[in-house]
Amino acid sequence: YTISLGSAEEMAESVRKAAGRPLLKVKLGGPGGDLERIRAIRAAAPEASVIADANEGWTSANLREHLHACAEARFSLIEQPVPAADDECLRALGAPAVALCADESVHDRVSLQRLQGLYQFVNIKLDKTGGLTEALAMAREAERLGFGIMVGCMVGTSLAMAPALMLSP
């Protein structure tokens, strides 16, 4: 269940209402305030399983501080913390305290090799890969290279997402 980007207070209220769901995905990366959002989200749902989607909103200058806050808040995963063009800065982190997932940085099998050592997971979206055939091939290659897999969509309907269920095994 996805919580939209908003003020720390707005997001905390949305998280509180959805705290019973098995997994919450919170959008981050807005202008200022992510540290407050992270703390408010965890306070609002202390037991929830939470992943963050920073939507390329962090920079090499604030990355460590944001990753530390997510680790302290026991987030499970952080999706695309920095712009795809800048993700080489992730190499200097070593093993991050919270797993990182490529989204805008990954489009097809060809893009996987470059991401080794930067991300631990990749988000496979049928919309980005061009369809189910490439998505299935990408999933096999990602697993071969040691990546975990997240299956996502580009604001698709449940009908558009149905074929992606084939990626879940």
Side-chain angles (χ1 to χ4, degrees):
Y1 186 77
T2 301
I3 305 295
S4 298
L5 182 64
S7 71
E9 297 78 23
E10 292 166 338
M11 292 184 77
E13 181 58 28
S14 295
V15 164
R16 234 183 315 283
K17 290 177 182 175
R21 294 183 179 262
L23 178 63
L24 301 177
K25 179 177 180 176
V26 297
K27 297 289 189 167
L28 298 174
D34 275 351
L35 297 175
E36 293 78 20
R37 289 180 188 108
I38 292 164
R39 287 190 284 274
I41 288 162
R42 181 44 74 201
E47 302 304 318
S49 183
V50 179
I51 61 175
D53 184 354
N55 282 313
E56 300 182 284
W58 299 345
T59 66
S60 58
N62 66 20
L63 178 63
R64 287 186 189 276
E65 184 177 30
H66 285 90
L67 290 176
H68 179 73
C70 286
E72 285 208 334
R74 300 178 333 276
F75 282 20
S76 307
L77 184 79
I78 302 168
E79 190 179 339
Q80 198 67 46
V82 296
D86 298 335
D87 59 15
E88 270 301 316
C89 73
L90 301 174
R91 201 170 303 283
L93 294 175
V98 179
L100 303 178
C101 181
D103 184 1
E104 286 81 5
S105 292
V106 63
H107 298 278
D108 53 26
R109 286 174 285 172
V110 175
S111 56
L112 290 170
Q113 289 279 18
R114 184 185 73 77
L115 302 178
Q116 288 185 290
L118 302 176
Y119 296 95
Q120 294 73 49
F121 286 79
V122 292
N123 189 350
I124 300 176
K125 297 178 178 178
L126 297 181
D127 315 62
K128 282 192 313 187
T129 64
L132 185 57
T133 301
E134 177 60 23
L136 289 167
M138 184 177 165
R140 284 190 299 276
E141 181 65 5
E143 287 179 332
R144 188 186 74 74
L145 293 172
F147 290 106
I149 294 173
M150 177 179 179
V151 178
C153 69
M154 309 282 282
V155 194
T157 66
S158 57
L159 183 59
M161 281 300 295
L165 289 174
M166 294 182 71
L167 296 169
S168 62

